[in-house]
Amino acid sequence: MAGQHFPVTRLEGVSREQFMQHLYPQRKPLVLEGIDLGPCTSKWTVDYLSQVGGKKEVKIHVAAVAQMDFIKLYLLTSWSRGQLKRSIKNSLFQSHYHEQHIKDISSYGHQRALVERDEKYYLRSLGEDPRKDVADIRKQFPLLKEDIKFPEFFKEEQFFSSVFRISSPGLQLWTHYDVMDNLLIQVTGKKRVVLFSPRDAQYLYLKGTKSEVLNIDNPDLAKYPLFSKARRYECSLEAGDVLFIPALWFHNVISEEFGVGVNIFWKHLPSECYDKTDTYGNKDPTAASRAAQILDRALKTLAELPEEYRDFYARRMVLHIQDKAYSKNSE
């Protein structure tokens, strides 16, 4: 279990002005209650979504265990049982029809399991051509457009994407960060969300944008001893709740019930700071990517020195980065 625990602040009836002028600049997670989201919270039942989605083909992730691991991901757009049996991966990416997927994903016991009988399903909507188009529920699922109102807590030109998500009960998504601000709208069902501050990145055993620590409630501290130092912020979301997740805040999401949600991502930084080829919104800002490439080259240069010298100058580099780049502001 992580060390310090804090509840995420909950506020009801927050106006656009109050959020943008007073809450947004604090750069802290926040649960917003009583936001007008339209009729989606009562209308988006399993039967309704199955009917509206119809025969639209969607991509789903299939996990044989509750803790989905995208560090070791097996990507498929079609499947055969032979491939699945040979796979030692945790997650699969499948083509599926929306109507049947909704019915499968809402069930505790699946009649047509692809991997295991207790497998978990997860839908994350994509653009029509994921290589070029961002996800926008209003375009990929136009019949749902009139059912949901997006909170107007950012400028229209900052909008990046709106991602439609459906999760099996018990599914746990990996701890990761996003490079854009987002609102997680819990339309139906219940979720538990655990967040970690960007300042605690050194305790999360990162591999890219994701943490290697999958079981955050009962971590293997022999393998991940520093994880106990990470401060943990936690909240529960029910239908109608909206969670503001600032960019760079790590989050782990557990679906306590079958649930439908929508993430709205927008650009906190000027548009030119982001990778123009990024349709998922998960590539680091271009300046950060360039800095990482420069660091890699510096490390290769240091490797030319004997170990004693390499160690000494590497420590000096770390101290220099801390002095010049770390924020002096306390949380």
Side-chain angles (χ1 to χ4, degrees), residues 208-225:
T209 64
K210 307 169 185 67
S211 170
E212 293 184 358
V213 185
L214 298 180
N215 190 344
I216 61 172
D217 293 322
N218 188 26
D220 183 349
L221 294 181
K223 186 175 183 180
Y224 306 114

Side-chain angles (χ1 to χ4, degrees), residues 68-74 89-91 174-176 204-214 224:
M68 187 176 282
D69 178 1
F70 263 40
I71 294 171
K72 298 173 291 183
L73 176 62
Y74 189 29
K89 306 297 183 179
N90 176 276
S91 302
W174 60 100
T175 301
H176 68 285
L204 299 180
Y205 297 88
L206 298 181
K207 190 168 186 178
T209 64
K210 307 169 185 67
S211 170
E212 293 184 358
V213 185
L214 298 180
Y224 306 114

Side-chain angles (χ1 to χ4, degrees), residues 5 24 30 41 82 141 154 163 168 179 213 283 302 304 319:
H5 289 220
Y24 185 60
L30 182 67
T41 54
F141 298 91
F154 53 90
V163 180
S168 290
V179 300
V213 185
K283 291 185 179 180
L302 277 182
E304 298 173 8
L319 291 173

Side-chain angles (χ1 to χ4, degrees), residues 57-60 62 76-79 93-97 114:
E57 187 180 78
V58 294
K59 298 293 191 297
I60 64 171
V62 184
L76 290 177
T77 54
S78 61
W79 61 277
F93 201 45
Q94 302 287 352
S95 293
H96 212 53
Y97 288 111
L114 302 180

Side-chain angles (χ1 to χ4, degrees), residues 96-158:
H96 212 53
Y97 288 111
H98 187 271
E99 179 180 8
Q100 186 60 52
H101 168 60
I102 295 294
K103 294 176 180 177
D104 286 347
I105 206 170
S106 63
S107 302
Y108 282 86
H110 306 302
Q111 300 301 315
R112 304 183 312 105
L114 302 180
V115 185
E116 302 286 348
R117 182 167 179 79
D118 295 327
E119 69 195 17
K120 305 298 181 183
Y121 296 162
Y122 170 60
L123 179 150
R124 185 232 191 257
S125 64
L126 304 171
E128 294 300 328
D129 182 348
R131 297 169 298 178
K132 299 186 295 184
D133 304 322
V134 299
D136 189 345
I137 187 174
R138 298 168 298 186
K139 295 179 180 179
Q140 284 87 52
F141 298 91
L143 294 179
L144 299 178
K145 178 180 177 180
E146 300 303 321
D147 295 343
I148 185 168
K149 293 182 180 179
F150 290 178
E152 297 180 349
F153 287 170
F154 53 90
K155 297 177 181 178
E156 185 176 352
E157 60 269 23
Q158 292 177 290

